Amino acid sequence: IGAFLSLPAASSAQVQVGPILAFHDDADLGIGAFVGVPMASIHEDLSFIGDFGFFFPGDSGYDGVDVDYWELNANGLFRVPLEGQSFTPWALAGLNIANGSAGIDLGELGHSSASDTEIGLNVGGGVTFGTGPVSPFAGAKFELGGGEGAVIFGGLSFVVGG
């Protein structure tokens, strides 16, 4: 998805989770979820973000063909806090595992299917709005290899625990 998320500056020492809504230029609409874990021992503005997204590629153009697509992402996210602002820009980079599969019902001949999983890189950025326990975010990323495309995404980030 997206992955692709941010921990607000005021909550940088807390784990966050939330839903994601995304649009992939090849796989259409997607939904997913993320978890963000601060990496303050390395740098106070660095976080690990893991996310999973399931996309709905739409009509394959062929009757009886079912197409599925999902992504698993592991990204480093670096916040760039701006003093006196109610938003925080960020950059992300990491790994993308993308899986596409297609199946077709051949009637009396049975069912045929194929699947392909590839690993690639994510590079992108975005912005988180607000610094409270619930913060909306929006971003974009490019997938180099793996999902091989552009993804725009947004969601909500919820602080977990104290």
Side-chain angles (χ1 to χ4, degrees):
I1 273 193
F4 344 77
L5 319 156
S6 177
L7 303 177
S11 302
S12 62
Q14 297 173 315
V15 172
Q16 296 198 340
V17 298
I20 305 167
L21 183 63
F23 185 84
H24 191 292
D25 65 346
D26 286 333
D28 295 340
L29 184 66
I31 58 171
F34 80 95
V35 60
V37 178
M39 297 178 66
S41 62
I42 297 172
H43 192 280
E44 66 183 9
D45 293 317
L46 183 65
S47 298
F48 166 80
I49 306 296
D51 69 79
F52 177 82
F54 187 84
F55 289 81
F56 304 95
D59 187 5
S60 66
Y62 300 98
D63 286 339
V65 176
D66 181 34
V67 179
D68 292 317
Y69 180 79
W70 57 260
E71 292 186 356
L72 182 64
N73 298 284
N75 294 305
L77 184 143
F78 190 81
R79 289 180 307 283
V80 183
L82 302 174
E83 287 211 26
Q85 300 298 319
S86 61
F87 63 91
T88 304
W90 42 265
L92 69 80
L95 294 176
N96 166 264
I97 300 172
N99 176 276
S101 62
I104 185 168
D105 183 2
L106 300 171
E108 292 179 14
L109 298 175
H111 183 84
S112 180
S113 64
S115 179
D116 187 32
T117 300
E118 295 186 10
I119 298 175
L121 300 175
N122 292 319
V123 177
V127 64
T128 297
F129 303 95
T131 58
V134 178
S135 300
F137 62 86
K141 71 172 183 169
F142 293 99
E143 299 170 336
L144 312 170
E148 296 181 357
V151 180
I152 56 173
F153 56 88
L156 291 174
S157 182
F158 297 89
V159 172
V160 176

